[in-house]
Amino acid sequence: GQNIDQPTEMTATEGAIVQINCTYQTSGFNGLFWYQQHAGEAPTFLSYNVLDGLEEKGRFSSFLSRSKGYSYLLLKELQMKDSASYLCAVPNTGGFKTIFGAGTRLFVKA
Amino acid sequence: NAGVTQTPKFRVLKTGQSMTLLCAQDMNHEYMYWYRQDPGMGLRLIHYSVGEGTTAKGEVPDGYNVSRLKKQNFLLGLESAAPSQTSVYFCASRRRATAGEYNEQFFGPGTRLTVL
């Protein structure tokens, strides 16, 4: 089976750096996605990692360690607009479906 | 491009009533999905389709039916609504991936359904 764990909530200060962790268990690995979801809105794609290491995209970076079943999303220079839920997700073995974690709600305070 | 659209945006039903949620995408995507999202539980897959005329069950299919008569549309039906179906429903689509590629999903704005 597949299982994804991520913290329920985190709070950080504007201008700071925050790391949101995700651990997963899968029978076969086909990469890991991060999505951002603002309250009352649809999820939107942030990143996809399939190889180990860090991928940087502006203020956002995503890291993957396949041997540890672990990923994190790093947000730098936090802004108030980064207050949102961050969803970790992995494709299932067959590839048609994606399993989503429950999401981490990030609160950015002034 | 409008991307993925959903109608209606909000709906209140009484127990036992039926309704259909419509999802439309203009990106020519082969795969389409219906999810429900409840507090603390993340996105759960109800049904999905890998092409016109095909549908398959997801994680929580009971009480729902779907149809994909046209490639761009994916309909979700509730035959006899129950309070447990109060939720936010998201439709999503993605293009068919080449071997070894897994691409992202594009989501509609959601339908907020309350069943009294």
Side-chain angles (χ1 to χ4, degrees), chain A residues 36-44 80-86, chain B residues 112:
Chain A
Q36 180 189 57
Q37 185 178 23
H38 285 101
E41 298 183 7
T44 55
M80 299 300 286
K81 68 178 181 179
D82 297 330
S83 292
S85 289
Y86 292 86
Chain B
R112 283 145 188 83

Side-chain angles (χ1 to χ4, degrees), chain B residues 5-61:
Chain B
T5 58
Q6 293 181 231
T7 52
K9 287 185 169 54
F10 302 92
R11 186 71 185 269
V12 178
L13 289 178
K14 293 182 180 178
T15 297
Q17 287 185 316
S18 64
M19 76 165 295
T20 300
L21 284 68
L22 172 63
C23 175
Q25 53 95 4
D26 62 1
M27 296 174 283
N28 202 34
H29 286 171
E30 288 80 9
Y31 302 162
M32 296 188 74
Y33 305 85
W34 275 108
Y35 295 92
R36 59 178 290 173
Q37 187 174 41
D38 302 292
M41 300 191 73
L43 289 162
R44 292 185 293 169
L45 183 64
I46 304 171
H47 286 280
Y48 65 101
S49 168
V50 299
E52 182 178 320
T54 70
T55 62
K57 294 180 180 179
E59 182 185 358
V60 288

Side-chain angles (χ1 to χ4, degrees), chain A residues 7-78:
Chain A
T8 303
E9 289 186 357
M10 299 182 71
T11 300
T13 305
E14 193 176 17
I17 299 173
V18 70
Q19 178 175 313
I20 302 174
N21 297 325
C22 170
T23 57
Y24 63 88
Q25 295 172 321
T26 61
S27 53
F29 184 72
N30 299 306
L32 185 142
F33 291 90
W34 284 97
Y35 288 82
Q36 180 189 57
Q37 185 178 23
H38 285 101
E41 298 183 7
T44 55
F45 169 76
L46 283 178
S47 67
Y48 173 64
N49 293 64
V50 65
L51 299 176
D52 289 349
L54 185 69
E55 295 211 3
E56 298 184 61
K57 201 183 286 187
R59 293 189 300 113
F60 291 13
S61 301
S62 55
F63 172 83
L64 176 68
S65 169
R66 289 173 293 172
S67 62
K68 295 181 180 178
Y70 168 68
S71 173
Y72 67 72
L73 183 67
L74 193 70
L75 290 72
K76 303 176 186 176
E77 302 170 14
L78 278 173

Side-chain angles (χ1 to χ4, degrees), chain A residues 91-110:
Chain A
N92 74 327
T93 303
F96 295 129
K97 299 183 283 186
T98 301
I99 309 301
F100 287 84
T104 299
R105 288 188 68 189
L106 174 65
F107 298 93
V108 179
K109 58 182 183 178

